[in-house]
Structures are given as structure tokens and as C-alpha cells.
Amino acid sequence: MSDFIAAGATADDLPAPAEGLLLTHFLTVGDVPRSRAFYADVLGGQVVLEENPCIIKVANSWIIMNPGGGPTDDKPDVVLRPPEDRHTVSSFLNVRVADIHGFYAAARAKGAEFLTPPIDRRAELRCYMRDPDGHLIEVGQSTGLLKGILARTDTEA
């Protein structure tokens, strides 16, 4: 076993397509071990690499995380840092589940912080939680959308 691959993981668990592409999500975090534990415990992810970067395989995707830093030679004018303002978001992780109420209960029992319980938005049941750094994560279960019912707008009751 390589010193770089976590126990139980293999090179096949890395996000490395044989052809084409696959999409991963990168997070800048303040504390890699704390965030690694959150994504492994709350979302049931498999730690593939512990650090540098931390890679966690979650369902059919990967979350890649590192502490902030930069600039680097390939991003000379860019500095990475965890969210500083929990009220302004430009991007977030979207998790789709088969049973939102079951997920909500299990995640809360593991210490996940939710903004609200699941809310019926016609097309889906939806709620949001935050990771330890304050990254926003939408959790949704498609309901009406499967029947062609679109989400309600904020102006609808």
C-alpha cells in the first residue's frame, strides 16, 4: 500500500478517468482533518487520500480539499481561502438523496448543522446544511419534479 493512499483505498478509487472527464468538487478548508471527518462521517465518504490534497470518494463523485494558500505558478493571481462570510455564497455542493427525512435525522445525529428542516418546494423537498468551514450544502429529494412539477418561486405561497 502506498504511503499516499488511505487504508482500504486503491488507485482505482482516485478520480482519474481512463477517457473523457469526470467532475469533482474542490473545497478550501481551514482544518483538513476536521473537514475530512465531516465528509467521511456525515456523507459516508471513503477517504482515498488523507492530505495534500485530501480526496474523499462520496457516492459517485469526489470531494478534493486543501487548506488555503497561493498564489502558485499555475494560478498567479489567485488566493484560496475558506468562506469568510456565511451569508454570501457563490457556489455550493448539491447532494441528492432518496430519503431526505432519513438523511436529515442521521446527519443531525452526527452533528450536522442545518439551516432549516426539509421544506417542500413542490419539485423537491430541500434543506441546507453547513460543513465545519461554513460551506453551504444543499440536500434535496426530487418529488414533484419527477412528475413534471417545477419548483415554486419565492413569491408563491
Side-chain angles (χ1 to χ4, degrees):
M1 166 81 49
S2 165
D3 290 341
F4 301 104
I5 297 178
T10 69
D12 291 335
D13 294 313
L14 292 168
E19 59 184 65
L21 64 89
L22 58 83
L23 190 63
T24 66
H25 194 80
F26 181 90
L27 297 174
T28 303
V29 301
D31 182 331
V32 172
R34 179 187 68 183
S35 294
R36 181 177 60 230
F38 174 87
Y39 283 96
D41 295 345
V42 173
L43 294 184
Q46 174 194 9
V47 177
V48 178
L49 292 178
E50 297 277 333
E51 292 192 49
N52 201 25
C54 175
I55 299 177
I56 300 180
K57 187 176 183 180
V58 180
N60 60 345
S61 191
W62 290 263
I63 296 172
I64 301 173
M65 63 184 77
N66 254 340
T72 59
D73 57 355
D74 57 344
K75 52 180 178 38
D77 296 325
V78 177
V79 174
L80 299 176
R81 62 178 167 226
E84 294 177 353
D85 176 3
R86 295 170 63 94
H87 304 288
T88 303
V89 177
S90 63
S91 176
F92 57 87
L93 186 63
N94 184 299
V95 177
R96 307 310 290 178
V97 297
D99 173 10
I100 196 166
H101 295 293
F103 179 88
Y104 176 79
R108 284 193 65 201
K110 294 176 182 174
E113 170 197 344
F114 285 85
L115 279 61
T116 67
I119 293 175
D120 189 344
R121 303 277 302 165
R122 290 183 4 163
E124 65 183 344
L125 300 172
R126 182 175 84 193
C127 58
Y128 291 86
M129 66 179 179
R130 293 204 183 268
D131 78 358
D133 286 289
H135 292 106
L136 192 65
I137 303 169
E138 177 183 315
V139 180
Q141 176 184 343
S142 293
T143 53
L145 188 61
L146 300 174
K147 301 172 189 167
I149 300 170
L150 302 179
R152 68 179 173 89
T153 65
D154 291 340
T155 60
E156 295 179 65

